[in-house]
Amino acid sequence: MTSIVNPPRDPNTLSNYNNFLTTHTTVSFNIDFEKKIIGGNVQLTLKSITDAAAKEILLDTSFLNIKNVTLDGKTPKWELLPRFEPYGSALKISLEDGVQNGERVQLEMTTETTKECTAIQWLTPAQTRGKDPYMFTQCQAIHTRSVFPCQDTPDVKGTVEFNIKSPLPVITSGLSTGVQDLSQSEGSSSGIKLYTFEQGIPIPSYLFALASGDIAKAPIGPRSVVATGPKELKAAQWELEDSTERYIETVEKIVFPYQWTEYNVLVLPPSFPYGGMENPVYTYATPTMISGDRENVNVIAHELSHSYSGNLVSNASWEHFWLNEGWTTYLERRLQAAVHGEPHRDFSAIIGWKALQDSVNQFGDSHEFTKMIVDLKGKDPDDSFSSIPYEKGYTFLSYLENQVTKTKWNKYIPHYFTTFARRSLDSYDFKANLLSFFASDTTACKALNDVDWDSWFYAPGLPPKPNFDTSLVDVCYDLASKWETGKFEPRQEDIKGWSANQVVVFLDAVQAFERPLDKRASRTMGSTYGFAKSQNVEIVSRYFQAALKAKDETVYKPTADLLGLVGRMKFVRPLYRLLNEADRALAVQTFEENKEFYHPICKNLVEKDLFGKGFKT
Ligand code: BES
Ligand code: ZN
């Protein structure tokens, strides 16, 4: 189903998607590890949606090398318009005659990426600690345009076919349709194979994904495999095999049957810039999730939930990102509660509330980016990224659930996902849908009348704090208040039997002290509880943050070392900020040494954090 979108709801695209919609994309790419480029042929099927007979097609591109363009087999007039930061260069294809409303055209382009590509990270064999190179994409929010020309907006969805030639195994966001050995036919022993995939459910551009490297696979459930480096495979399988199918079955009960056939996980090299990315068919995940204690599998509950919120039902623009992440955080916590017990919902929400407070403090409590709906005109969505859409969104949905009662809300959940499946929506569509669902229920209607929609949507800063069930965290708060007195003799046993996430809550409480820990106390804490040596990055990174605030020099070097080992922005950015405050020279030196280890998105953001806006090396 398509509708006329006029004017475009998404301010972060240069495409004229109010005139044409991409209904299908076929990419046929070669992965060239030596030149570090991917390129080949891209075909877009574009459907006209205006009577006005638009005289041009505008597509998003960023730092691409475009060589050839044909439209329905003919060569049209085309040009790359001047770069317009931060959105790239529009590719303009002139149409001699317009295209009738409802008619389709086939646009074919020969294109390749360049060194400036912001979506792809290329890793040398040394960087993967193996014998082969590796590459992967991270396209959310607006980086697909640096891989191929497209309508790079979540407001447009189409099916996708992938034909990828590579000397190493390939993973995409489609279902595999086969592998063909091309070595013989090309008369070489290059080992190059053609990997083909299909995504038959219409997806937005940001869910395009590609990875290639020395990747092995092992089952983690009846419809799931984990893929990662052969040496890391066993540990990854152990971490995930217990929970994956349980989570899938649970989310199916809350919403409806899983639509994407397979749910697989690709565990990436440590420079992967996020905890997880919900690419269809294959969730991409940070290796820091493989902590050996199954304590970080909430990443899977989260990314799996995106199979509904985000992937099936998508935010129409990054201004309404809370619809993706708030709904996903909501489903994630419902899964935690169903699988591990009801108190785990608030256990996770308490950790989330601290992240929300930190984000609000970071931006300042009247900042535009602390609103649930943000104004992104002229802005880069990556700059607005924070815990706010996740946690304000979650708090809002939980509040609505409470207003109408859980039993009734449970009925609304599948209704929402059914109504908007395969479509994109904004916050106003959501509001209208919710109100109409409860229109004939007078009690629910009355409760919804009390909702102050404008404040939730547009007020900056923190929302009202919910009453959390603190049963799993009371021990953590107790221990933290003993530390706060400053007169406490800690012992290793203080945290005996605690889960890693209880330690996380304890460290979050310590960080929130009115008077920060002093150097000596921070050092004692690290040595008594063994935090500095923890294998769980959620713990070490929080401990280092507390110790950096205490200006404890003994953690400066270990922090710098950690910054050379993980590239997940959630850890990297706060650690650089604090290391910069404690020892700027070391922060700058650490960044210079490691910048090629980071994914381009991470490198650019840390550069901005350390050197100010728009810094270019
Ligand atoms: N879709 C996000 C990651 C993302 C957001 C990438 C915006 C690019 C732009 C993903 O689902 C996510 O939220 N990841 C979290 C996982 C966590 C909440 C379990 C992360 O990376 O920390
Ligand atoms: Zn998410």
Side-chain angles (χ1 to χ4, degrees), residues 53-64:
K55 284 291 194 287
E56 61 193 27
I57 297 168
L58 292 166
L59 298 177
D60 290 299
T61 83
S62 181
F63 302 120
L64 290 178

Side-chain angles (χ1 to χ4, degrees), residues 128-301:
T128 64
R129 278 179 269 137
K131 60 183 182 351
D132 293 306
Y134 196 101
M135 65 80 67
F136 68 91
T137 58
Q138 167 54 47
C139 288
Q140 196 181 11
I142 56 167
H143 299 282
T144 315
R145 62 191 69 179
S146 75
V147 183
F148 61 90
C150 59
Q151 293 183 313
D152 199 6
T153 165
D155 210 4
V156 174
K157 294 176 154 190
T159 48
V160 184
E161 240 172 282
F162 307 75
N163 306 306
I164 311 293
K165 287 183 196 170
S166 175
L168 293 167
V170 172
I171 276 168
T172 69
S173 37
L175 291 163
S176 170
T177 51
V179 185
Q180 232 179 297
D181 196 339
L182 300 178
S183 303
Q184 270 109 34
S185 62
E186 286 180 356
S188 71
S189 56
S190 59
I192 292 181
K193 292 183 180 161
L194 171 65
Y195 298 82
T196 56
F197 308 82
E198 230 173 79
Q199 183 46 266
I201 300 180
I203 55 168
S205 59
Y206 77 91
L207 293 178
F208 174 90
L210 187 61
S212 186
D214 183 15
I215 295 167
K217 295 176 186 172
I220 49 168
R223 38 188 155 173
S224 307
V225 298
V226 62
T228 190
K231 280 187 260 154
E232 291 81 29
L233 193 59
K234 269 254 146 334
Q237 185 183 32
W238 181 84
E239 203 88 27
L240 303 177
E241 66 190 355
D242 185 49
S243 51
T244 306
E245 180 63 18
R246 277 205 281 162
Y247 282 141
I248 304 176
E249 285 172 10
T250 309
V251 78
E252 286 187 313
K253 283 197 201 104
I254 298 175
V255 192
F256 48 60
Y258 183 74
Q259 305 281 296
W260 306 82
T261 314
E262 295 174 19
Y263 178 78
N264 306 313
V265 180
L266 173 66
V267 179
L268 284 112
S271 60
F272 186 61
Y274 291 97
M277 175 64 213
E278 64 270 27
N279 297 316
V281 184
Y282 265 97
T283 279
Y284 283 21
T286 170
T288 61
M289 178 182 70
I290 312 301
S291 45
D293 53 10
R294 293 180 173 162
E295 287 257 5
N296 290 304
V297 287
N298 73 300
V299 175
I300 299 305

Side-chain angles (χ1 to χ4, degrees), residues 299-537:
V299 175
I300 299 305
H302 181 93
E303 304 313 333
L304 167 68
S305 297
H306 272 304
S307 307
Y308 300 85
S309 43
N311 298 6
L312 212 52
V313 172
S314 314
N315 52 212
S317 82
W318 303 116
E319 301 189 321
H320 302 269
F321 185 49
W322 79 270
L323 285 169
N324 272 19
E325 297 301 343
W327 264 107
T328 298
T329 305
Y330 177 83
L331 290 176
E332 172 198 341
R333 290 186 181 145
R334 291 289 303 264
L335 295 191
Q336 300 287 47
V339 172
H340 305 293
E342 206 48 47
H344 281 264
R345 175 167 173 181
D346 279 9
F347 187 18
S348 169
I350 287 166
I351 298 176
W353 186 265
K354 169 68 167 56
L356 173 63
Q357 287 175 315
D358 287 349
S359 293
V360 168
N361 288 338
Q362 187 63 37
F363 284 126
D365 63 6
S366 57
H367 195 281
E368 179 65 28
F369 295 161
T370 66
K371 298 177 183 172
M372 208 156 77
I373 301 175
V374 291
D375 179 358
L376 288 179
K377 268 182 242 55
K379 309 230 169 93
D380 182 345
D382 280 348
D383 290 336
S384 69
F385 180 79
S386 78
S387 293
I388 291 160
Y390 293 72
E391 299 302 336
K392 247 193 180 179
Y394 168 78
T395 310
F396 183 45
L397 294 171
S398 297
Y399 162 74
L400 292 173
E401 170 194 330
N402 265 331
Q403 288 294 104
V404 301
T405 74
K406 188 168 179 181
T407 319
K408 289 181 187 177
W409 180 256
N410 283 346
K411 297 208 175 71
Y412 175 65
I413 297 174
H415 174 78
Y416 169 74
F417 288 104
T418 307
T419 312
F420 295 108
R422 302 186 176 216
R423 295 170 56 192
S424 309
L425 83 160
D426 61 24
S427 307
Y428 321 111
D429 296 327
F430 164 66
K431 178 180 172 185
N433 181 256
L434 177 72
L435 295 181
S436 98
F437 182 78
F438 287 110
S440 56
D441 178 334
T442 13
T443 1
C445 238
K446 219 169 140 276
L448 289 174
N449 251 335
D450 293 339
V451 177
D452 181 355
W453 291 88
D454 276 356
S455 294
W456 280 102
F457 281 174
Y458 304 114
L462 291 174
K465 186 174 177 183
N467 274 325
F468 293 122
D469 165 358
T470 57
S471 54
L472 287 170
V473 300
D474 286 334
V475 282
C476 319
Y477 291 156
D478 287 349
L479 183 61
S481 32
K482 288 184 191 152
W483 278 87
E484 201 169 15
T485 61
K487 304 191 257 343
F488 172 60
E489 282 301 317
R491 295 177 323 147
Q492 216 178 335
E493 289 72 56
D494 296 342
I495 59 166
K496 203 167 157 218
W498 283 25
S499 70
N501 283 324
Q502 285 175 310
V503 174
V504 162
V505 172
F506 167 72
L507 283 168
D508 278 352
V510 169
Q511 273 195 51
F513 286 172
E514 294 254 319
R515 231 169 9 107
L517 279 193
D518 63 28
K519 229 188 262 197
R520 213 174 49 88
S522 145
R523 219 172 281 174
T524 313
M525 184 183 288
S527 55
T528 315
Y529 299 152
F531 290 159
K533 297 205 171 57
S534 167
Q535 289 306 296
N536 191 320
V537 190

Side-chain angles (χ1 to χ4, degrees), residues 11-33:
N12 301 143
T13 174
L14 300 174
S15 73
N16 59 339
Y17 80 92
N18 50 336
N19 294 147
F20 290 93
L21 293 176
T22 307
T23 58
H24 182 77
T25 302
T26 302
V27 298
S28 305
F29 282 154
N30 269 312
I31 302 182
D32 187 334
F33 283 102

